[in-house]
Amino acid sequence: MRPALAVDSNSILGGGDGSGGSSSALEFACKRAALSGEEVVVIHGFPLSAVSIDRKGQLDVAIVPRLAEHERLLAESVAGLSERYPDVVIRQESVPIKPADALIDASVNAALVVVG
């Protein structure tokens, strides 16, 4: 186990992918956070296939439905947790990079990382 990069880390990081293992890990994170006062940060990483950019550097609008689908999956992954743990702050982040890389990057400031 390595210490958090930030001495004052006050968050539990979990991956949200909609799987049963992920749901169990996030439930554990919320139970701990309810006791410890930490916040829960749920990351949903997803790789994007080739994305085209126009001459002005703008992303192709075709990417919007794909991003929205991943945002929906993340929202479903945490659905119900806020009701069961109303005193726990739950932040959601959906990022277009590989899930493992997203968790590794975000873990530098977490007190605990849970995965399922």
Side-chain angles (χ1 to χ4, degrees):
M1 181 169 104
R2 66 157 175 78
L5 188 61
V7 178
D8 59 349
S9 294
N10 193 31
S11 65
I12 301 168
L13 175 67
D17 65 5
S19 68
S22 171
S23 295
S24 296
L26 294 177
E27 187 78 29
F28 172 83
C30 287
K31 285 180 183 178
R32 174 177 157 146
L35 297 171
S36 68
E38 295 163 304
E39 73 175 6
V40 175
V41 178
V42 183
I43 298 284
H44 173 71
F46 57 95
L48 281 178
S49 54
V51 177
S52 60
I53 298 175
D54 68 16
R55 290 180 184 203
K56 296 178 184 177
Q58 301 295 315
L59 291 173
D60 185 345
V61 295
I63 194 172
V64 174
R66 293 190 303 185
L67 296 174
E69 177 64 22
H70 288 285
E71 290 287 337
R72 184 192 60 75
L73 177 68
L74 176 58
E76 289 175 357
S77 296
V78 300
L81 290 174
S82 293
E83 290 89 25
R84 290 193 302 280
Y85 303 95
D87 296 332
V88 174
V89 174
I90 302 172
R91 287 193 300 122
Q92 304 173 47
E93 297 181 29
S94 183
V95 292
I97 60 174
K98 290 191 271 184
D101 292 341
L103 287 169
I104 290 167
D105 290 349
S107 72
V108 297
N109 292 314
L112 176 69
V113 177
V114 296
V115 293

